[in-house]
């Protein structure tokens, strides 16, 4: 007999999600739950005998207080949409990959790979934890794509499906070719070294000539796939550089590999020596390792997102008979009536047909306050409805909407100025010139003294002085730095981003969502303490308006039953009034409530309140600025010119001046194209710009800047195209992360000095025309290992400053909300 759940007051943590049960807690089987949603998920998991989910990690679930709308996934019954989403189908199976932003621990992996117990139609599910994706294979004769999505949602893993998933956008295939090349090079290198040991230990004097040749032929056979396949990217890259009249670092490496291989083939076939195939295969192997580590981040994080990643895939269309049908957003036509529910994105430009719309455009325009719309007004795509369901009539297709046109504007598509070539390539070019000079000098010397040694001397110089140590310095430094930056939730697109950070002299900040928290503003009352009766009267008036500021006041007052409201009036731009319990209540601007204008100097700052013309005080809005903003700005201001570009209003300019300094240039009401033009203007004056933003309105500026960093509180959900993504929880480390990136050149140049020292030792033997394979075999791995140890050690040394911040100790816990609050003033002013 099942135990009936009980509801009591408790502060115990929820058994499912771990959040505190602040008001009421539901007890089932001696387990506490914070809401009905968490209890329901537990019951589903328990019913399907999957409670090991709770044993792997403590409180592993996601809070379920926010209920999912019934019918939300009806669009997944559309055959056209199904074909756009799946990436394989046969007569029985369909394969689909969902992005699940809720995935965070080993318990998530375990339950997601046991989905077949919850939905028997699911054949197999496999998790890619780094990408937060699950690939599901299901029998479409037993279940449907809609039911698969609903099964995930039931256990707290609602799939994130956007327009970007459709239209032929298949899952991003991982490039495995480099892994294959690396595996082949490693296998062949290890075996060639092993077969060369007799040659090393006998100093080339193996008694059995036939055995020696047999080992040499085996080595030659093992070197062929390394030369023709694993090393191919160096030859291709070097050739492309020469065609463009540019000598990149791959060209001398390809030359060294070619010379080493050619001389080794000649010696083995002519039976004059054993060659240097171990050195050749080792060069390729270590180069590929470094490049693999450099490219790992780009494969796991998407840096090139567009507006389609922001739009939903399906939307409710209302037919002429008032029936509802889910269709793809791409199929919307002018004249269609659509229904947008609470917290849903508006997918196309439309006219408000029914309901009260309060649209949050902060991600599109940067405006922090939601905008109220009346019936008949146009509502632009990209906004989020925040108060209940509304009906709209589409006036433009999604592909023709204002947001899409803005994104596709040619100015936004312009590439940034062609960046200067990496200093690594410049150093490599000088190194190559020096190398050829030494080779020519050696050839000239032996031409007069012993012409038989010219070939050996020249090829030995090109073999032993290979610039692989230079490339190793760069690849392992960059790879190690990218790995360390990833630990602190700073994901860079590639190694060139780190190098460009060294040249930055100007940092431009967006405001809303970048230096402020992406959470709702808080509100408090300023004045004498309100009585319960006064709170009830004010709450009764605030509940009559759908304006976002009225809603903020309503949410700030403890719940009480509202009084009947009479003679309610709402004056646009001023405030609201009503007679409640035979008393006149007013809320709004200072002039409306008190008849005076000398209370505040700032636009839209406070919500004043009076009862029977007796002034009580005002409700004051509080924006949550990110933790340690002042100290971060102070540190950055000593090294860079700082600037603010915001789409929001200028009401907080005075406060921001106290943080950024009175001389800091601040521009407000900036449209996306305005931000882009400001960045271009700065660059024309020779400034190297780092832009930090978060929304679609920052997309053009992020792309145009020398380095564009997108702030995201969830690094796998939507963020505009950028060079790097910084987790909002790591914002406190911004100055240290920037400074750490600027150490890259110092580490690489230090390892260059070490590699040149090894080259000088090798050249001492090479110019004599008597370079033994054992000398090359010793120098190559010793120099490579030394470079790896030096770059790793220096990267770790400079990381210690980051560790002192102790951010890793809290594992970037989403519960750590220590934001800086600033009082900003806002008037109850419907728009």
């Amino acid at each position: 007999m099942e135990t009936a759940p009980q509801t009591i007051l408790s502060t115990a943590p929820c058994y499912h999600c771990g959040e505190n049960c602040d008001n009421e807690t539901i007890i089932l089987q001696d387990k506490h739950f914070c809401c009905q949603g968490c209890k329901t998920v537990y019951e589903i998991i328990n019913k399907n005998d999957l409670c090991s989910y709770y044993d792997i990690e403590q409180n592993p679930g996601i809070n379920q207080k926010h209920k999912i709308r019934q019918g939300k996934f009806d669009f997944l019954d559309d055959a056209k949409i199904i074909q756009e989403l799946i990436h394989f189908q046969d007569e029985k199976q369909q394969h689909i990959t969902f992005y699940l932003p809720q995935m965070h621990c080993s318990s998530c992996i375990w339950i997601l790979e046991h989905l077949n117990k919850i939905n028997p139609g699911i054949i197999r599910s496999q998790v890619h934890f780094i990408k937060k994706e699950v690939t599901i294979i299901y029998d479409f004769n037993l279940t449907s794509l809609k039911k698969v999505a609903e099964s995930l949602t039931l256990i707290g893993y609602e799939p994130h499906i956007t327009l970007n998933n459709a239209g032929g956008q298949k899952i991003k295939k991982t490039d495995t070719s480099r892994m294959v090349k690396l595996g082949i090079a490693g296998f062949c290198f290890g075996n060639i070294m092993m077969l060369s040991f007799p040659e090393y230990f006998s100093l080339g004097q193996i008694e059995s000539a036939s055995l020696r040749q047999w080992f040499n032929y085996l080595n030659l056979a093992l070197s062929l796939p390394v030369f023709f396949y694993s090393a191919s990217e160096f030859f291709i890259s070097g050739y492309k550089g020469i065609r463009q009249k540019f000598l990149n670092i791959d060209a001398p490496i390809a030359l060294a590999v070619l010379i080493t291989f050619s001389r080794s083939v000649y010696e083995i076939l002519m039976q004059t020596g054993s060659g240097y195939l171990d050195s050749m295969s080792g060069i390729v192997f270590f180069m590929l390792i470094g490049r693999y580590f450099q490219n790992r981040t780009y494969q796991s994080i998407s840096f090139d997102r567009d507006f389609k990643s922001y739009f939903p895939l399906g939307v409710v269309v209302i037919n002429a008979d008032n029936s509802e049908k889910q269709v793809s957003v791409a199929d919307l036509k002018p004249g269609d009536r659509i229904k947008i529910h609470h917290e849903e994105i508006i997918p196309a430009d439309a006219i408000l047909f029914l309901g009260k719309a309060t649209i949050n455009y902060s991600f599109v325009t940067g405006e922090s306050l939601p905008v109220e719309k009346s019936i008949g007004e146009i509502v632009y795509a990209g906004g989020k409805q925040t108060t209940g369901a509304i009906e709209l009539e589409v006036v433009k297709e999604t592909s023709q909407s204002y947001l899409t046109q803005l994104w596709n504007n040619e100015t936004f598509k312009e590439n940034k100025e062609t960046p200067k070539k990496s200093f690594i390539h410049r150093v490599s070019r000088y190194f190559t010139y020096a190398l050829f000079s030494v080779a020519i000098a050696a050839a000239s010397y032996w031409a007069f003294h012993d012409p038989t040694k010219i070939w050996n001397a020249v090829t030995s110089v090109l073999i032993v002085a290979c610039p692989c140590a230079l490339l190793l310095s760069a690849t392992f430094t960059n790879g190690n730095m990218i790995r360390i930056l990833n630990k602190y939730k700073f994901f860079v697109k590639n190694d060139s981003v780190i190098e460009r950070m060294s040249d930055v002299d100007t940092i431009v900040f967006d405001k809303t969502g970048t230096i402020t928290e992406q959470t709702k503003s808080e509100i408090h009352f300023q004045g004498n303490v309100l009585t319960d009766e006064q709170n009830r009267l004010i709450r009764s008036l605030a509940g009559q308006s759908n304006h976002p500021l009225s809603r903020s006041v309503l949410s700030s007052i403890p719940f009480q039953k509202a009084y009947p409201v009479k003679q309610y009036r709402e004056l646009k731009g001023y405030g609201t009034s009503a007679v409640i319990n035979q008393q006149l209540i007013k809320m709004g601007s200072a002039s409306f409530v008190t008849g005076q204008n000398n209370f505040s100097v700032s636009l839209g700052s406070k919500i004043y309140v009076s009862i029977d013309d007796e002034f009580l005080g005002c409700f004051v809005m509080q924006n949550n600025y990110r933790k340690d903003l002042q100290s971060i700005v102070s540190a950055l201001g000593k090294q860079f010119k700082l600037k603010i570009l915001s789409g929001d209003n200028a009401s907080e300019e005075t406060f921001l001046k106290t943080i950024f300094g009175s001389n800091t240039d601040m521009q407000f009401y900036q449209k996306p194209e305005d931000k882009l033009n400001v960045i271009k203007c700065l660059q024309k004056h020779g400034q190297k710009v780092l832009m930090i933003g978060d929304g679609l309105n920052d997309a053009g500026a992020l792309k145009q800047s020398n380095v564009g960093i997108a702030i995201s509180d969830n690094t796998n959900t939507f963020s505009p195209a950028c060079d790097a993504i910084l987790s909002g929880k790591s914002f406190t480390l911004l100055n240290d992360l920037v400074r750490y990136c600027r150490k890259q050149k110092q580490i690489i140049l230090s390892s260059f000095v070490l590699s040149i020292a090894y080259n000088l030792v090798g050249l001492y033997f090479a110019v004599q025309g008597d370079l033994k394979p054992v000398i090359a075999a010793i120098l190559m791995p010793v120099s490579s290992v030394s470079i790896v140890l030096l770059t790793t050690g220096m990267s770790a040394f400079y990381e210690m400053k980051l560790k002192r911040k102790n951010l890793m100790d809290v594992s970037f816990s989403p519960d750590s909300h220590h934001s800086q609050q600033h009082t900003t003033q806002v008037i109850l002013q419907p728009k």
Side-chain angles (χ1 to χ4, degrees):
M1 182 175 180
E2 291 190 2
T3 306
Q6 302 175 6
T7 302
I8 63 170
L9 294 175
S10 172
T11 57
C14 176
Y15 181 74
H16 177 70
C17 69
E19 293 194 13
N20 288 330
C21 306
D22 295 328
N23 298 317
E24 294 182 341
T25 183
I26 301 166
I27 298 180
L28 177 67
Q29 299 174 358
D30 296 326
K31 296 174 177 62
H32 294 248
F33 300 94
C34 65
C35 62
Q36 286 289 341
C38 287
K39 179 184 77 73
T40 301
V41 172
Y42 167 76
E43 288 176 324
I44 293 170
I45 292 173
N46 185 45
K47 180 181 177 181
N48 292 280
D49 196 23
L50 293 171
C51 281
S52 295
Y53 172 68
Y54 297 104
D55 298 332
I56 301 171
E57 298 277 348
Q58 187 177 10
N59 312 122
I62 307 297
N63 185 276
Q64 299 295 308
K65 290 181 180 178
H66 177 66
K67 295 181 179 179
I68 306 300
R69 174 175 58 84
Q70 188 174 3
K72 183 172 184 176
F73 297 108
D74 286 350
F75 66 92
L76 294 180
D77 281 335
D78 189 309
K80 180 181 177 182
I81 292 178
I82 293 174
Q83 290 304 314
E84 289 178 332
L85 289 176
I86 63 172
H87 47 85
F88 177 80
Q89 179 177 353
D90 59 17
E91 65 280 356
K92 181 181 178 182
Q93 300 177 1
Q94 288 179 338
H95 297 193
I96 180 76
T97 297
F98 283 129
Y99 167 61
L100 307 177
Q102 308 89 342
M103 196 186 307
H104 66 284
C105 67
S106 53
S107 287
C108 300
I109 298 174
W110 185 85
I111 196 166
L112 289 171
E113 293 191 344
H114 288 80
L115 289 175
N116 57 317
K117 290 191 175 183
I118 296 172
N119 186 335
I122 295 175
I123 300 171
R124 187 171 73 252
S125 53
Q126 184 175 358
V127 169
H128 191 307
F129 184 72
I130 295 177
K131 294 184 178 181
K132 296 194 174 184
E133 291 178 347
V134 59
T135 299
I136 298 173
I137 302 172
Y138 64 96
D139 186 337
F140 57 82
N141 297 309
L142 300 178
T143 189
S144 65
L145 184 56
K146 173 187 172 182
K147 290 180 180 177
V148 170
E150 288 176 341
S151 297
L152 286 166
T153 304
L154 278 175
I155 58 173
Y157 297 92
E158 180 188 354
H160 184 71
I161 306 172
T162 66
L163 188 59
N164 195 50
N165 298 115
Q169 295 286 338
K170 301 302 180 185
I171 58 171
K172 183 179 177 181
K173 300 290 185 182
T174 302
D175 182 12
T176 58
S177 61
R178 180 164 287 166
M179 286 295 294
V180 175
K181 290 177 182 178
L182 179 59
I184 290 174
F187 172 80
C188 295
F189 170 57
N191 282 280
I192 290 173
M193 287 287 288
M194 182 182 67
L195 293 171
S196 300
F197 281 155
E199 184 80 17
Y200 302 154
F201 296 141
S202 64
L203 298 178
Q205 304 298 321
I206 298 179
E207 293 184 4
S208 174
S210 60
L211 184 61
R212 177 184 178 184
Q213 281 305 111
W214 174 242
F215 284 162
N216 288 341
Y217 288 138
L218 281 176
N219 284 342
L220 180 58
L222 287 167
S223 70
L224 294 177
V226 177
F227 180 78
F228 288 103
Y229 180 63
S230 297
S232 59
E233 64 181 75
F234 300 106
F235 289 102
I236 294 170
S237 174
Y239 173 69
K240 287 180 178 178
I242 292 172
R243 283 192 62 183
Q244 296 174 4
K245 299 180 180 180
F246 173 71
L247 189 64
N248 60 29
I249 197 169
D250 286 338
I253 288 176
L255 176 64
V257 171
L258 177 62
I259 295 296
T260 307
F261 180 76
S262 301
R263 176 169 170 176
S264 300
V265 170
Y266 174 82
E267 289 187 1
I268 291 172
L269 294 181
M270 295 295 103
Q271 299 186 9
T272 59
S274 59
Y276 307 91
L277 295 175
D278 47 358
S279 297
M280 186 273 293
S281 56
I283 291 170
V284 176
F285 176 59
F286 282 108
M287 294 303 99
L288 291 175
I289 287 178
R291 291 194 170 177
Y292 167 74
F293 282 109
Q294 277 189 186
N295 295 330
R296 287 185 66 187
T297 301
Y298 190 72
Q299 294 176 0
S300 59
I301 301 285
S302 177
F303 295 88
D304 299 316
R305 296 160 174 160
D306 62 13
F307 68 94
K308 291 181 181 179
S309 302
Y310 185 56
F311 278 175
L313 176 57
V315 65
V316 176
V317 171
I318 301 174
N319 299 319
D321 59 357
N322 285 329
S323 61
E324 297 181 358
K325 179 184 178 183
Q326 287 268 3
V327 302
S328 171
V329 166
D331 294 334
L332 286 178
K333 307 181 298 296
D336 284 347
R337 270 180 62 193
I338 60 175
K339 189 172 187 178
I340 303 297
H341 295 82
H342 180 65
E343 293 294 308
E344 288 187 347
I345 304 297
I346 297 166
D349 294 350
I351 292 174
L352 182 60
F353 188 82
L354 184 66
K356 291 187 177 182
T358 306
I359 312 299
N360 184 346
Y361 283 114
S362 62
F363 203 73
V364 179
T365 66
E367 174 65 46
S368 58
L369 290 176
V371 178
E372 248 189 11
K373 293 289 184 179
S374 303
I375 291 176
E377 287 191 275
I378 190 164
V379 179
Y380 291 105
K384 179 185 286 187
Q385 165 65 357
T386 60
T387 52
I390 56 174
E391 292 183 15
L392 305 169
E393 184 173 310
V394 176
V395 295
K396 289 183 180 179
E397 298 176 6
T398 300
S399 59
Q400 300 298 318
S401 69
Y402 164 76
L403 181 62
T404 308
Q405 290 177 357
L406 176 66
W407 191 276
N408 293 331
N409 190 301
E410 287 302 316
T411 58
F412 279 68
K413 289 186 174 181
E414 290 179 8
N415 293 323
K416 16 181 124 172
E417 297 176 1
T418 303
K420 66 179 183 180
K421 301 296 183 182
S422 169
F423 82 98
I424 297 168
H425 296 303
R426 297 197 301 275
V427 172
S428 171
R429 185 165 63 249
Y430 297 136
F431 178 88
T432 303
Y433 295 153
L435 179 61
F436 279 119
S437 299
V438 172
I440 292 170
S444 301
Y445 175 84
W446 290 115
F448 291 102
H449 294 81
D450 187 355
T452 60
K453 288 191 174 183
I454 293 177
W455 167 250
N456 285 342
V458 171
T459 54
S460 295
V461 167
L462 296 177
I463 290 171
V464 79
C466 164
C468 66
L470 303 182
L471 185 56
L472 270 178
S473 302
T475 53
F476 273 94
T477 297
N478 292 329
N480 204 42
M481 291 187 79
I482 289 172
R483 177 185 62 80
I484 290 171
L485 292 172
N486 287 357
K487 282 171 55 179
Y488 296 92
K489 307 298 181 184
F490 185 43
F491 306 95
V492 297
K493 187 175 184 178
N494 50 45
D495 57 295
S496 67
V497 175
I498 300 178
E499 184 175 334
R500 294 201 303 271
M501 293 274 277
S502 301
D503 301 323
V504 166
D505 54 29
T506 303
I507 299 180
V508 178
F509 289 93
D510 170 51
K511 182 176 81 73
T512 306
T514 301
I515 59 175
T516 65
E517 295 277 5
Q518 293 179 341
T519 55
K520 293 182 179 179
S521 299
E522 296 185 7
I523 187 169
H524 73 274
F525 186 75
Q526 193 174 83
N528 295 328
V529 178
L530 296 174
T531 65
D532 290 343
E533 177 64 16
Q534 289 171 334
N535 272 326
R536 186 175 180 183
L537 292 169
I538 295 170
R539 183 179 172 87
S540 299
L541 176 59
Q544 300 302 307
S545 174
N546 275 323
H547 190 277
L549 297 181
S550 285
R551 291 294 169 187
S552 296
V553 172
L554 184 69
S555 64
S556 69
I557 300 175
F559 175 79
Q560 297 181 71
K561 186 177 180 180
Y563 284 121
V565 175
K566 299 177 181 178
Q567 301 177 30
Y568 173 77
R569 289 195 312 155
E570 184 166 341
L571 299 180
K572 188 172 183 178
Y574 293 96
T576 62
S577 66
V579 175
I580 304 174
N581 202 21
Q582 300 181 351
Q583 298 176 78
L584 177 63
I585 318 297
K586 287 185 178 181
M587 278 200 320
S589 65
S591 59
F592 177 72
V593 173
T594 69
Q596 302 177 30
N597 277 318
N598 59 350
F599 280 86
S600 169
V601 296
S602 199
L603 170 68
S605 51
K606 299 181 180 180
I607 307 167
Y608 294 86
V609 181
S610 70
I611 297 179
D612 284 336
D613 294 327
E614 180 187 349
F615 176 64
L616 301 179
C618 57
F619 289 91
V620 185
M621 298 293 293
Q622 290 183 316
N623 275 331
N624 292 333
Y625 280 82
R626 294 194 183 271
K627 180 186 176 184
D628 295 336
L629 176 62
Q630 183 138 15
S631 61
I632 293 167
V633 169
S634 177
L636 290 174
K638 296 175 183 177
Q639 310 167 63
F640 308 98
K641 294 179 182 177
L642 303 182
K643 188 179 183 71
I644 288 181
L645 291 178
S646 175
D648 203 356
N649 62 60
S651 63
E652 301 179 27
E653 182 174 7
T654 302
F655 169 73
L656 289 172
K657 289 282 187 183
T658 64
I659 292 181
F660 283 82
S662 58
N663 296 325
T664 301
D665 182 25
M666 300 183 183
Q667 298 182 34
F668 299 90
Y669 303 102
Q670 295 292 295
K671 296 178 180 178
E673 55 269 29
D674 297 331
K675 293 187 176 185
L676 174 66
N677 291 331
V678 170
I679 299 297
K680 285 183 176 180
C681 182
L682 292 172
Q683 291 174 329
K684 283 181 181 178
H685 287 84
Q687 297 182 41
K688 304 298 182 183
V689 182
L690 166 61
M691 172 71 190
I692 305 177
D694 76 306
L696 285 170
N697 61 322
D698 303 316
L702 287 169
K703 188 174 182 182
Q704 177 63 34
S705 58
N706 299 85
V707 179
I709 299 178
I711 300 287
S712 177
D713 289 319
N714 187 331
T715 52
N716 285 282
T717 54
F718 180 82
S719 60
C722 56
D723 297 309
I725 298 175
L726 175 66
S727 169
K729 301 178 186 70
S730 297
F731 185 79
T732 54
L733 291 173
L734 179 61
N735 176 56
D736 296 287
L737 290 169
V738 170
R739 188 162 53 184
Y740 182 71
C741 290
R742 293 165 73 87
K743 295 292 184 182
Q744 179 221 32
K745 284 186 180 180
Q746 186 175 333
I747 297 173
I748 291 176
L749 290 175
S750 298
S751 57
F752 275 3
V753 172
L754 180 62
S755 67
I756 289 171
Y758 278 111
N759 281 327
L760 291 175
V761 174
L763 286 172
Y764 171 78
F765 295 98
V767 294
Q768 299 178 52
D770 192 29
L771 179 65
K772 301 293 184 183
V774 67
I775 301 297
I778 292 172
L779 282 176
M780 188 279 298
V782 169
S783 63
S784 299
V785 171
S786 299
I787 294 296
V788 172
L789 291 176
L790 178 65
T791 55
T792 302
M794 291 188 71
S795 300
F797 174 76
Y798 289 125
E799 184 199 1
M800 291 175 67
K801 187 104 181 182
L802 287 170
K803 284 185 176 179
R804 281 198 287 269
K805 285 285 187 179
N806 207 26
L807 188 64
M808 298 302 291
D809 288 350
V810 295
S811 302
F812 301 97
S813 169
D815 298 325
S816 302
H817 298 303
H818 302 290
S819 54
Q820 178 179 352
Q821 294 183 346
H822 161 59
T823 298
T824 60
Q825 307 174 354
V826 216
I827 296 175
L828 183 59
Q829 185 173 352
K831 297 188 179 182

